Amino acid sequence: MTITEQDLRELLERDSGDGPYRGVAVAGVERRARRIRRRRGSALAAVAAAGAGAVAMIATAQPPVAYDWGGVLARAAQVDDIARALIAAEYERGGRTEEVTFKASGGRFLLHAICPEGRQVTVTINGREMSPRACLPGGVVWSNPKMLLRAGKNTMRVSLQVIGGPAEAKPYPARWQVSVAERDGKGCAVTVVPGEGKQVVVGNADTCGG
Amino acid sequence: MRDRADFERYVEQRSARLVRTAYLLCRDWGQAEDLVQTALAKAWLAWRRVGDNPDPYVYRILTNTHASWWRRRWRGEVPTGELPELPDQRDHEGEIGARDALRAALIALPARQRGVVVLRYFEDMADQEIAAVLGCSAATVRSQASRALAKLRLDPQAQAAIRMESRP
C-alpha cells in the first residue's frame, strides 16, 4: 500500500494528540530566561575581556551586549581567537542594490544583517549570490556561507526587497544594516551593530563546540 | 512595543500547541516541554523587539534549538536508508503496520527535514513561511520536503501533487 499526504497529516495529528500536552507555565519560562541571561552575561563578560579590542576599530566604546537571533550564542571559551570585523554598512533606502568593497585576508566569514520584518536581504559577494534571507526580529545571519572571501579586495552587493520581490524596485525609506566578519577556526565571530557600536557575538553553538 | 501581559497571553494561548509541535520534532514529551520552555524563554528575552506576530520568531528558535540538541544529544536511533517493507493490502493490521513504518521513517529523518514535514503538514505553513522560520529559501524548503517525502515513501501521485503546489 502507499501512504498519502492525508495519512501523514492524520498521523502527526494523532501522535501529538495522545500526550499530556498542557503547555508550559509562565513562571517556568521566567526561571529559564533568568538562567539564560546569567549564562549570556558571564559569556559576554569573558568575551569582552578576551579580545573586544579586535573590533574596536569600527565600534564605539559601548560595552558588548547580547543580541538575540534565534538564541545561538557562541560561548566565551570558544572565542578566545576572536574573528576580525571587516565591514559594517548602514543604509537608509531599500529597493536598490548597494555596493561596497572591503579588504580581507581570505577564508571563511559570517554575514549579519538587521532589517525590517516583511523584507528580505539579497547578498552577492564577488559575483556569487547567496540565498536571500527573510528579515526576523533580532536580525538574520548567514553563519556558514559555502564560499570563501578572497585575500585582498572583495566586492559585496546587497539589496533590501519585499519578500519574493525583485531586487530593484522604486527606492523607499528603510533603515537596515549589514556587517561582515572573518571567522575563527571554530566558526565563532564577533561583529558589530552599525550605528550603535554594539558588539555582537555570533556563531553556531554546535560548530563552536557548545 | 510588546509588554509582559502580551507575553503571558501568548504563552497561555500558544504553548500547548507549541509542545505538540516540539513533540513531533523530538518524539519525547519531557524534552518537548523543555524545548518549548527554552524557546519561550529566549523569545521573552527579545520580546520588546518581536513584531506583531511572534510565531515566526518562536518557531525559529524552537527548530534551531531542536536541531542543535538533536546534533548533540540524539544517540538513540540510527537513521537508515532501508525502511521496513510496507504491507501490500490495506487491511486493519496493514494500516497499523504502515503507520508504524511511517512513524519510524519520520523519526529517522534528519532534524531539518523533519522540521519541514512538521511545519508543512502539522502547522500547515506555506513554504515561504517555513523558509522564514528556518532561515533558508523556499526552494530549499521544497527540496528538503521532496527528499523527506521520498524517504517516507508517499504515494507518487501525492508527491506529484505536492510538487505542483505553488505555495506562495
Side-chain angles (χ1 to χ4, degrees), chain A residues 27-113:
Chain A
V29 173
E30 275 188 325
R31 273 197 302 278
R32 184 72 56 105
R34 278 197 296 273
R35 274 215 307 271
I36 292 170
R37 192 181 284 127
R38 269 201 305 274
R39 210 168 54 226
R40 287 179 179 178
S42 56
L44 285 161
V47 168
V55 292
M57 58 187 186
I58 54 173
T60 68
Q62 294 175 39
V65 297
Y67 202 88
D68 295 302
W69 59 278
V72 186
L73 184 72
R75 291 188 181 177
Q78 281 80 48
V79 289
D80 47 1
D81 179 19
I82 287 177
R84 193 160 59 97
L86 298 171
I87 187 169
E90 183 170 5
Y91 303 105
E92 295 187 338
R93 272 181 300 188
R96 73 173 209 177
T97 303
E98 311 278 358
E99 184 173 306
V100 64
T101 59
F102 58 93
K103 285 185 178 173
S105 54
R108 299 174 68 205
F109 67 103
L110 178 146
L111 201 134
H112 181 210

Side-chain angles (χ1 to χ4, degrees), chain B residues 60-73:
Chain B
R60 180 164 200 183
I61 301 174
L62 191 70
T63 51
N64 280 346
T65 307
H66 166 252
S68 154
W69 288 8
W70 187 82
R71 283 193 292 269
R72 275 188 229 162
R73 299 179 183 176

Side-chain angles (χ1 to χ4, degrees), chain A residues 190-201:
Chain A
V190 169
T191 183
V192 174
V193 179
E196 296 179 39
K198 290 177 184 172
Q199 295 170 15
V200 182
V201 183

